[in-house]
């Protein structure tokens, strides 16, 4: 792989070919006079952008050979940006070229300055699309813990913390708002631990009535209560040798908290209706969106249980605190639901991307997924709009003065660029259109870290 921008000029007029070659600076230029030479260079050099004269030999007065060359180039490298030129039936040629997949079109006689702008824009778009593909490939490859899709430094810090503590046999508490991916991270703890060959058993403590929660956790003996027609193992036993995930641990009633505490201290349980202790080797990961410190102070959550469960506490940032992740996740969800429901929507319109970046996402990833799923169904064309997402204009609080407004805008832009460039300073500077020293000065002024 190289960062060199390669431009292939396919032109049979030797004079015009020389003129085009010398018109561009900063590109690695290759030239071809016919279809065979062009395809050979496409295979050997893999140029990002091609300017293609449709009038190629052996029929320079027609367009058949040019269109055949265009089709072959896009078959070999669909991501190539091909800019076609023709002086023959310009309107019809333009329509056909675009239908075949050409990126842009210009008419002869050639305006070198105008063509230069088209070529520069083609390289820019190619680079952006290549970055998006690279991010998508990294996501599909599962490079982030537990399949978590993120490029934000805040979330990557969380995943690195989990990777460090996963190997230690300690209880982990995940604290975060609803919809931030707590169960996904809990599964990541399990999969990164020596217990990954065991079962991962999850239970939502808020979704089960108090009268049934004890039986769900500890199991019961046949005849222990009305309806207990057989002996049933609880979730703790089912997670033997593996991991038990207690979601919404703050909703466990106080009487049951005492029994949970004994299990964590002694590593034994008793089923309902039995006095026989059963030893269990189960790791506990719990999560909640509630303020457990406040609950402990109010006497609604046992302090001794809290310290047993919170040997390692990991706080999960909200989606609004993860710059760049909303767009990355939105593209993932759109691809997922468009394929599953066979809808026509395949990408986001510019107003949709702007709305996604601007929205505060009070429901976090769950809200984003639901909106994208609905938009995939509602979208009438191939692009999802802000209206399809049902996102209103966000009204920000007016900063105290112009200096504060500029700082707020600078911080937001730098954080988004850092996320997209995965913390790479050179890449971030290129995205922002500034020099590395300028970026370093801004980051130092705003106390931002790569």
């Amino acid at each position: 792989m190289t960062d060199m921008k390669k431009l292939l000029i396919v032109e049979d007029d030797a004079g015009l070919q020389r003129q085009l070659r010398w018109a561009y600076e900063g590109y690695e230029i290759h030239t071809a006079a016919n279809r065979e030479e062009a395809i050979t260079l496409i295979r050997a050099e893999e140029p990002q952008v091609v300017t293609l004269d449709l009038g190629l030999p052996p029929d320079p007065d027609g367009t058949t050979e040019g269109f055949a060359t265009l089709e072959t180039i896009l078959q070999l490298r669909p991501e190539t940006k091909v800019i076609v030129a023709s002086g023959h039936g310009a309107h019809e040629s333009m329509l056909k070229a675009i239908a075949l997949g050409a990126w842009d079109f210009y008419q002869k006689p050639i305006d070198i300055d105008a063509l230069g702008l088209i070529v520069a824009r083609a390289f820019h778009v190619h680079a952006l699309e290549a970055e998006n593909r690279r991010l998508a490939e990294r996501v599909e490859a599962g490079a982030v813990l537990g399949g978590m899709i993120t490029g934000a430094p805040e979330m990557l810090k969380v995943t690195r913390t989990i990777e460090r503590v996963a190997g230690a046999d300690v209880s982990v508490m995940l604290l975060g708002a609803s919809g931030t991916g707590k169960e996904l991270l809990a599964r990541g703890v399990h999969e990164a631990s020596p217990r990954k060959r065991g079962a991962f058993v999850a239970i939502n403590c808020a979704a089960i009535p108090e009268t049934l929660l004890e039986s769900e956790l500890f199991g019961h003996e046949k005849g222990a209560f009305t309806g207990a027609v057989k002996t049933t193992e609880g979730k703790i036993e089912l997670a033997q040798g593996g991991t038990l995930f207690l979601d919404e641990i703050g909703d466990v009633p106080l009487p049951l908290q005492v029994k949970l505490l004994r299990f964590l201290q002694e590593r034994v349980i008793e089923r309902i209706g039995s006095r026989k202790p059963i030893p269990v080797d189960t790791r506990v990961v719990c999560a909640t969106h509630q303020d457990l410190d406040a609950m402990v102070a109010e006497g609604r959550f046992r302090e001794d249980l809290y310290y047993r469960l919170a040997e390692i506490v990991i706080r999960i940032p909200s989606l609004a605190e993860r710059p760049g992740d909303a767009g990355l996740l939105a593209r993932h969800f759109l691809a997922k639901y468009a394929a599953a429901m066979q809808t026509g929507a395949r990408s986001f319109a510019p107003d949709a991307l702007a709305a996604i970046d601007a929205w505060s996402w009070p429901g976090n990833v769950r809200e984003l997924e639901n909106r994208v799923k609905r938009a995939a169904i509602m979208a009438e064309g191939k692009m999802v709009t802000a209206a399809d997402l049902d996102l209103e204009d966000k009204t920000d609080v007016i900063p105290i003065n112009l200096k504060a407004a500029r700082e707020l805008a600078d911080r937001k832009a730098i954080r988004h660029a850092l996320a997209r460039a995965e913390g790479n300073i050179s890449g971030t500077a290129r995205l922002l259109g500034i020099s590395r020293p300028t970026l370093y000065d801004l980051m130092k002024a705003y106390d931002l870290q790569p």
Side-chain angles (χ1 to χ4, degrees):
M1 295 291 292
T2 176
D3 292 333
M4 175 59 71
K5 297 177 179 179
K6 295 184 179 182
L7 172 65
L8 172 60
I9 299 170
V10 185
E11 172 61 62
D12 64 320
D13 185 323
L16 185 54
Q17 192 181 97
R18 285 193 298 272
Q19 183 183 1
L20 289 171
R21 170 186 280 275
W22 293 109
Y24 300 110
E25 294 182 1
Y27 304 138
E28 181 181 315
I29 306 294
H30 300 273
T31 57
N34 54 54
R35 178 184 177 187
E36 183 179 354
E37 290 178 4
I39 299 308
T40 299
L41 284 167
I42 287 289
R43 293 181 184 277
E45 301 296 336
E46 299 182 350
Q48 298 97 330
V49 179
V50 176
T51 61
L52 171 64
D53 180 9
L54 293 177
L56 293 177
D59 183 23
D61 294 326
T63 57
T64 302
E65 190 71 7
F67 283 127
T69 305
L70 171 63
E71 289 184 279
T72 306
I73 290 172
L74 294 177
Q75 285 173 1
L76 292 172
R77 293 186 59 78
E79 67 274 18
T80 305
K81 301 302 175 190
V82 183
I83 305 165
V84 298
S86 175
H88 307 283
H91 183 68
E92 292 76 11
S93 297
M94 176 185 69
L95 294 178
K96 184 175 180 180
I98 298 300
L100 289 174
W103 186 75
D104 210 336
F105 183 92
Y106 66 98
Q107 297 183 26
K108 289 185 174 181
I110 294 171
D111 182 332
I112 294 295
D113 292 334
L115 181 56
L117 292 174
I118 296 172
V119 168
R121 191 172 71 234
F123 274 112
H124 179 67
V125 172
H126 185 280
L128 290 176
E129 291 179 352
E131 181 187 6
N132 285 339
R133 285 194 299 273
R134 179 178 56 78
L135 287 171
E137 287 169 2
R138 179 173 64 81
V139 167
E140 293 301 321
V144 182
L145 179 78
M148 177 68 68
I149 299 171
T150 183
E154 294 82 359
M155 204 64 190
L156 292 173
K157 180 181 178 181
V158 169
T159 61
R160 287 194 296 268
T161 300
I162 288 177
E163 286 171 346
R164 286 198 298 271
V165 305
D169 202 11
V170 294
S171 298
V172 177
M173 179 176 287
L174 304 172
L175 301 179
S178 179
T180 49
K182 295 188 288 294
E183 183 168 349
L184 192 61
L185 287 171
R187 191 175 293 275
V189 173
H190 172 72
E191 292 175 353
S193 74
R195 294 176 175 268
K196 62 183 178 181
R197 297 185 184 277
F200 176 82
V201 179
I203 180 170
N204 189 322
C205 301
I208 300 172
E210 290 185 17
T211 53
L212 297 179
L213 185 55
E214 182 179 2
S215 175
E216 283 290 315
L217 285 171
F218 294 92
H220 60 263
E221 295 289 340
K222 179 179 179 181
F225 50 81
T226 303
V229 296
K230 64 176 182 177
T231 298
T232 302
E233 294 179 336
K235 300 293 190 197
I236 296 174
E237 278 187 85
L238 293 174
Q240 171 71 22
T243 303
L244 174 68
F245 175 51
L246 299 173
D247 198 7
E248 299 304 342
I249 188 66
D251 287 272
V252 174
L254 278 170
L256 190 52
Q257 290 179 27
V258 177
K259 197 167 182 177
L260 267 177
L261 178 61
R262 182 174 184 272
F263 151 62
L264 290 169
Q265 288 175 334
E266 308 296 335
R267 296 294 166 175
V268 296
I269 64 167
E270 291 179 6
R271 297 178 188 149
I272 297 175
S274 171
R275 293 186 178 180
K276 178 184 177 182
I278 302 171
V280 285
D281 177 25
T282 300
R283 180 183 193 170
V284 174
V285 177
C286 63
T288 184
H289 71 282
Q290 300 187 60
D291 185 348
L292 289 187
D293 289 323
M295 292 180 68
V296 168
E298 295 167 6
R300 292 186 293 124
F301 199 88
R302 292 184 62 96
E303 186 175 18
D304 46 6
L305 177 60
Y306 173 79
Y307 288 118
R308 283 286 180 179
L309 292 170
E311 292 177 311
I312 298 290
V313 177
I314 300 174
R315 301 186 184 276
I316 305 171
S318 66
L319 185 56
E321 296 169 327
R322 297 160 51 180
D325 272 8
L328 188 62
L329 284 161
R331 290 184 177 91
H332 167 76
F333 290 137
L334 181 60
K336 172 184 173 181
Y337 289 115
M341 298 182 289
Q342 298 183 342
T343 66
R346 290 292 183 271
S347 60
F348 290 97
D351 69 328
L353 292 173
I356 288 170
D357 275 340
W359 196 249
S360 61
W361 299 112
N364 294 292
V365 179
R366 187 177 293 116
E367 178 191 357
L368 174 62
E369 182 174 7
N370 289 341
R371 285 186 183 271
V372 173
K373 184 177 182 179
R374 180 177 60 193
I377 299 170
M378 300 301 296
E380 296 181 355
K382 292 185 177 181
M383 301 186 80
V384 170
T385 65
D388 295 327
L389 291 165
D390 193 24
L391 291 178
E392 303 171 356
D393 291 336
K394 180 181 176 183
T395 303
D396 289 325
V397 178
I398 299 175
I400 191 170
N401 54 36
L402 186 58
K403 180 181 178 182
R406 287 172 176 165
E407 180 178 338
L408 186 66
D410 282 353
R411 283 179 177 275
K412 186 174 180 180
I414 293 170
R415 295 293 293 276
H416 277 278
L418 278 168
R420 289 190 60 187
E422 297 181 290
N424 181 274
I425 296 297
S426 297
T428 301
R430 283 196 297 272
L431 287 172
L432 294 171
I434 59 178
S435 67
R436 282 167 53 99
T438 300
L439 177 58
Y440 275 120
D441 288 343
L442 287 170
M443 291 176 64
K444 184 178 180 180
Y446 299 141
D447 194 26
L448 297 175
Q449 300 297 322

